[in-house]
Amino acid sequence: QLHLVESGGGLVQAGGSLRLSCAASGSIFSLRAMSWYRQAPGKQRELVAQITSDGNTAYTDSAKGRFTISGDFAKNTVYLQMSSLKSEDTGVYYCRADTSRLNYWGQGTQVTVSS
């Protein structure tokens, strides 16, 4: 079983920055990738950014140039640096860990961007 804990969410003005963190603990087998998803009110959860254990990253178009995902797989930790935040970035941000066996989700952290 893998346990994920996110932190770093909060209220920020448009144009501001936030840094999210996610730490994984428990029985970790072959952690392959860690990702950040976002769920805005009334919308489906969507992928924001992903980093693989070999360092490859991917971003949704709206995050490119503004968000940076980084990870320390030795410490099973992933970060999401968010800059130039917009009101449409508001939502609950979830961390996900992909292993060779299962995928795990954190409980989410709220990010609210005021315009």
Side-chain angles (χ1 to χ4, degrees), residues 7-13 17-20 82 85 89-93 108-114:
S7 61
L11 174 64
V12 63
Q13 288 188 335
S17 300
L18 280 176
R19 186 181 190 233
L20 306 182
M82 304 186 293
L85 283 162
D89 295 319
T90 294
V92 179
Y93 283 69
T109 185
Q110 176 70 45
V111 171
T112 302
V113 183
S114 63

Side-chain angles (χ1 to χ4, degrees), residues 75-95:
K75 297 181 179 180
N76 300 317
T77 303
V78 66
Y79 307 95
L80 185 67
Q81 178 67 47
M82 304 186 293
S83 303
S84 302
L85 283 162
K86 305 175 181 179
S87 57
E88 51 262 44
D89 295 319
T90 294
V92 179
Y93 283 69
Y94 296 91
C95 176

Side-chain angles (χ1 to χ4, degrees), residues 20-22 34 36 51 69-72 76-80 95:
L20 306 182
S21 300
C22 173
M34 297 187 77
W36 287 98
I51 184 167
I69 189 170
S70 59
D72 185 343
N76 300 317
T77 303
V78 66
Y79 307 95
L80 185 67
C95 176

